[in-house]
């Protein structure tokens, strides 16, 4: 089992940057694909980014390509989401999740953090 705790959210202005962190418990972190998802008010949870177990493969939703970067540190059991050039459309609760497969689909993720709020003002 994996427990995930996100941090780093906050209120920023359009064009600013934030780095989200997701700390995982347990010694099996490196065996999981890690994903970031977000959910805006009144909308369904959506995929943002995913990184493979070793970090060699990543994938992003089109709206964040070139602005967001996912990375991981398997020694620190942490996955990061660097978000640059933020816009109000990025406002959402961001959650990290762990999966045994490399996937962009919400239902394939077994473990979830509680989420961290990101609010971008115009």
């Amino acid at each position: 089992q994996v427990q995930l705790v996100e941090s780093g959210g906050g209120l920023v202005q359009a064009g600013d940057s934030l780095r989200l962190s997701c700390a995982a418990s347990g010694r099996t972190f490196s065996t999981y694909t890690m994903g970031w998802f977000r959910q805006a008010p009144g909308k369904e949870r959506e995929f943002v980014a995913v990184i493979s177990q070793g970090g060699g493969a990543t994938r992003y939703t089109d709206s964040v390509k070139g602005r967001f970067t996912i990375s991981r540190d398997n020694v620190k059991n942490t996955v990061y989401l660097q978000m640059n050039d933020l816009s109000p459309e990025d406002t959402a609760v961001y959650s990290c999740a762990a999966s045994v497969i490399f996937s962009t689909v919400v239902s394939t993720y077994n473990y979830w953090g509680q989420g961290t709020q990101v609010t971008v003002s115009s």
Side-chain angles (χ1 to χ4, degrees):
Q1 193 168 354
V2 178
Q3 293 184 328
L4 305 171
V5 179
E6 301 94 338
S7 61
L11 172 63
V12 297
Q13 294 186 329
D16 285 351
S17 299
L18 275 177
R19 189 176 81 154
L20 304 183
S21 299
C22 171
S25 65
R27 290 179 284 183
T28 59
F29 175 74
S30 63
T31 66
Y32 289 96
T33 288
M34 297 299 298
W36 283 99
F37 295 80
R38 65 186 180 186
Q39 187 167 20
K43 295 187 177 181
E44 293 188 353
R45 181 177 283 173
E46 67 170 353
F47 164 76
V48 176
V50 59
I51 188 166
S52 60
Q53 291 92 327
T58 58
R59 190 173 296 173
Y60 301 89
T61 192
D62 286 345
S63 63
V64 308
K65 285 180 181 177
R67 300 189 300 122
F68 290 13
T69 303
I70 188 171
S71 61
R72 67 189 296 164
D73 185 331
N74 285 344
V75 173
K76 295 182 178 179
N77 282 7
T78 302
V79 61
Y80 305 97
L81 186 67
Q82 177 67 42
M83 305 185 296
N84 298 331
D85 192 22
L86 285 160
S87 72
E89 290 70 33
D90 296 316
T91 294
V93 175
Y94 285 72
S95 300
C96 65
S99 174
V100 295
I101 63 172
F102 188 82
S103 171
T104 65
V105 179
V106 170
S107 62
T108 61
Y109 283 76
N110 309 96
Y111 304 104
W112 291 83
Q114 83 289 348
T116 185
Q117 177 71 46
V118 173
T119 303
V120 185
S121 63
S122 57

